[in-house]
Amino acid sequence: MDEFDDSTPVNAVPGGIPEGERLIWQGRPDLKSFVIRAFHIRKIALYFAILMAWRFATDLIDGLAVAQATQSALWVLPLAAIALGLLFGFAWLVRRSTIYTVTTRRVILRHGVALPKTVTIPINLVESVDLKVAGDGSGDIAFAVSSDHRMSFVMLWPHARPWHLSQPQAAFRAVPDAQSVAAAMVDALNGAAAPAAGARPTAERDGTGDHGTLAPAAG
């Protein structure tokens, strides 16, 4: 597993893949879901809304008229627009520079706005595939690998499984139709483990209904 191996980039067509390797899936994050879940734009917008409400309430308590308190609170709006606009613009650039790829041999995460880099994980090092699906069908797909192959959370971000700091996991964030993509990945894992067994993917749900762990089925 090489976090910075850019010697064999995968292009948008199978022509960039070495002989004997087959492209299974390639895509990018869904922009709307990516901005919401990876960059938490709703939470930041809520922060500015609370800030405006707090300013309005304190001005009323201090004796200002409603019109004056409203005008005083509105100074937050330009700051909010600039902050949210910059955040959305950066998320758009990150999404535009990101290519997620799954082949019969590798999981590949190419990203980086200013300095593109490629994270390549051999398929036989993937121990499990964790899937978390949102209401719109998009979702995050994280890859658990052996503890002997530790990756850097900082170098992966924002393409890392949230809150897994001690053992970072690469993740495809906000993938459209995530259930189908995860199932295709499990098929690739099954094929790497038992190419002649005709294995089928299995899913272990945690009971919440929105995520679970997909792992290779036993031969």
Side-chain angles (χ1 to χ4, degrees):
M1 181 170 55
D2 193 337
E3 287 189 49
F4 308 104
D5 178 14
D6 202 21
S7 59
T8 56
V10 177
N11 300 324
V13 295
I17 298 177
E19 185 177 354
E21 185 174 0
R22 181 172 57 87
L23 179 68
I24 295 175
W25 177 83
Q26 190 170 67
R28 288 187 168 93
D30 175 78
L31 180 58
K32 179 181 176 182
S33 298
F34 192 53
V35 171
I36 292 172
R37 294 208 299 273
F39 289 87
H40 307 287
I41 197 166
R42 285 179 175 172
K43 295 177 182 176
I44 295 174
L46 179 61
Y47 165 79
F48 282 108
I50 292 173
L51 188 62
M52 289 180 63
W54 174 82
R55 183 62 180 264
F56 178 78
T58 54
D59 284 342
L60 287 180
I61 293 172
D62 289 340
L64 292 182
V66 172
Q68 292 175 308
T70 301
Q71 184 176 5
S72 176
L74 288 178
W75 72 268
V76 178
L77 277 180
L79 297 179
I82 292 172
L84 295 174
L86 289 174
L87 183 63
F88 183 88
F90 180 64
W92 181 85
L93 289 173
V94 172
R95 186 257 180 192
R96 185 174 181 270
S97 65
T98 297
I99 301 178
Y100 299 146
T101 303
V102 181
T103 75
T104 51
R105 295 182 180 177
R106 298 174 287 168
V107 173
I108 305 164
L109 196 168
R110 183 178 176 88
H111 70 109
V113 176
L115 298 173
K117 50 185 172 288
T118 302
V119 177
T120 301
I121 307 174
I123 202 77
N124 58 1
L125 292 184
V126 178
E127 295 184 341
S128 65
V129 180
D130 187 88
L131 172 65
K132 183 175 182 180
V133 182
D136 61 357
S138 66
D140 296 344
I141 305 172
F143 318 106
V145 299
S146 169
S147 58
D148 296 333
H149 302 277
R150 192 177 188 278
M151 293 182 286
S152 167
F153 187 92
V154 173
M155 292 300 177
L156 287 172
W157 188 88
H159 313 284
R161 186 176 182 180
W163 309 112
H164 282 64
L165 302 179
S166 60
Q167 186 65 32
Q169 297 179 13
F172 290 175
R173 304 296 305 273
V175 174
D177 194 13
Q179 183 72 50
S180 297
V181 177
M185 292 192 59
V186 172
D187 283 339
L189 289 171
N190 286 337
R200 292 290 184 270
T202 61
E204 298 176 5
R205 295 289 178 179
D206 70 350
T208 63
D210 64 348
H211 70 281
T213 298
L214 295 169

